[in-house]
Amino acid sequence: MPTTVVVAPDSFKGSITAAEAAAALAEGWAAVEADAAFVLRPMADGGEGTVDAFAAAVPGAQRIPVTVAGPAGAPVDTAWLLLPDGTAVVDLASTSGIELVGELRPWDADTTGFGQAIAAALDHGVTRLVLGIGSSASTDGGIGLLAALGARFTDAAGAPVARGASGLCDVVDADLSGLRRAPDVLVLSDVTNPLTGPRGAAAVFGPQKGLTDAVDIARVDRALLRLAELVGLDPELPGAGAAGGVGAALVRWGAELAPGAAEVARLIGLADAIGTADVVATGEGSYDGQSGDGKVPSFVAAAAADAGVRAAVVAGRITADADTSLFAASVSLTELAGSAEASQADPARWLREAGAELARRFRA
């Protein structure tokens, strides 16, 4: 009887999208087992690839092009996704994401483009928003996106503040009276960090965006706390620190925060797909010691275990501290290709090789 394989990877960040990765894995598997049946369910946890995951899984989904101000201010041609039920899916990664900047810009990168894409969806008349907020380039507390939705942030002279963390540090007044009314808004994120403090946006995620000096981190942390006081938000709220404070900004707008991988899985019908499968293949760019904390591979593996289905993981690299005990098989593209550089140069090729290797292992 033919094997039914559900292929549900995350994107391999900066290398290949989840949809492309799923297709390559299936192609490689089919080269070994020609009569295998595949159900492609590319996944996301709210970061890069969130729009692509919904586009691949929801029949009738339509990409709506939009041009926004990218994280560094230059125009970015991107798209949001319109679902048949009137829901819009918008992700920060494709509008204000770190992959859109050539070099880290800790002070002037911001989230204006994300807000502009949300505003474009609202102008279209959508009734619900699903927002992915991973892969942010900035620590602006979400003031860029809120300003794009009608808020006004001013300095001691009453002038609008500059972009990014630099402007955030100058905010002395926040006027939210012009903020557009929020529809039903669900925010997808795998981050539970508060807005401020040692586990906050500046301390934990600021260095990933170029904010490395301890004095600067403390300065931005104080600015985030002041912003929370100005807009009336609990800085200790779990998830408020996601995407440099975007989590906090969206909660203040009226959104609900939800675990990214679990919610994407629910919305694309992953559990139903796994229920028909013999094997589930998942993956991501780096499977490491942190991958068990709400990341896509561990979530997919747990779902497969609940259904009594064998699972496999493919990753660009699998580190020594990674827990692979949830999987019946694991494949590292770095090991297949001989080096990280080789695997990254042609990820589709090595994902096809990985798919073929999994087919051989599960057929044995």
Side-chain angles (χ1 to χ4, degrees):
M1 190 169 180
T3 305
T4 299
V5 186
V6 169
V7 189
D10 198 352
S11 65
F12 287 52
K13 183 174 289 188
S15 179
I16 191 169
T17 69
E20 292 167 339
L25 283 168
E27 183 180 342
W29 191 303
V32 173
E33 187 179 358
D35 62 349
F38 299 96
V39 180
L40 306 188
R41 288 291 183 268
M43 278 285 291
D45 57 15
E48 182 184 35
T50 298
V51 164
D52 291 335
F54 282 96
V58 180
Q62 180 182 2
R63 293 180 187 271
I64 309 296
V66 64
T67 300
V68 301
V76 170
D77 293 326
T78 183
W80 56 275
L81 193 70
L82 178 63
L83 304 185
D85 67 355
T87 296
V89 183
V90 189
D91 68 41
L92 186 151
S94 65
T95 54
S96 301
I98 197 165
E99 299 295 333
L100 300 175
V101 294
E103 59 182 2
L104 298 178
R105 305 176 71 105
W107 292 106
D108 62 356
D110 84 335
T111 55
T112 295
F114 186 41
Q116 290 172 337
I118 294 170
L122 294 176
D123 290 342
H124 195 84
V126 301
T127 56
R128 184 169 183 256
L129 291 167
V130 175
L131 306 177
I133 62 170
S135 305
S136 168
S138 65
T139 312
D140 75 342
I143 63 173
L145 86 89
L146 290 180
L149 293 172
R152 191 167 186 267
F153 299 93
T154 51
D155 60 19
V161 298
R163 295 168 57 96
S166 176
L168 172 68
C169 290
D170 291 335
V171 173
V172 299
D173 185 65
D175 180 2
L176 306 186
S177 62
L179 198 58
R180 296 184 67 154
R181 183 176 179 179
D184 178 15
V185 184
L186 185 67
V187 178
L188 309 180
S189 173
D190 64 352
V191 169
T192 59
N193 299 64
L195 182 63
T196 60
R199 293 186 60 251
V204 175
F205 304 113
Q208 299 172 7
K209 300 158 189 177
L211 197 66
T212 55
D213 184 86
V215 173
D216 290 339
I217 289 171
R219 179 186 173 204
V220 175
D221 188 67
R222 290 192 300 270
L224 289 167
L225 180 59
R226 183 169 65 248
L227 179 67
E229 293 169 348
L230 287 172
V231 302
L233 183 73
D234 177 8
E236 295 300 315
L237 179 72
V246 166
L250 289 171
V251 167
R252 180 60 182 84
W253 190 39
E256 174 188 357
L257 300 178
E263 192 61 27
V264 171
R266 184 185 71 81
L267 291 167
I268 68 173
L270 182 66
D272 289 342
I274 289 176
T276 68
D278 300 301
V279 180
V280 179
T282 185
E284 65 179 353
S286 176
Y287 188 72
D288 53 36
Q290 296 182 3
S291 293
D293 187 19
K295 300 293 186 180
V296 165
S298 61
F299 177 85
V300 173
D306 288 344
V309 177
R310 296 172 296 171
V313 64
V314 175
R317 64 169 188 158
I318 299 176
T319 64
D321 63 344
D323 179 9
T324 59
S325 62
L326 288 171
F327 301 98
S330 59
V331 178
S332 162
L333 301 189
T334 295
E335 291 184 6
L336 279 181
S339 70
E341 292 75 17
S343 70
Q344 291 170 0
D346 193 355
R349 172 192 172 186
W350 296 109
L351 281 161
R352 288 191 293 271
E353 293 286 345
E357 175 64 18
L358 289 178
R360 287 188 286 267
R361 293 191 193 182
F362 280 96
R363 192 173 63 174

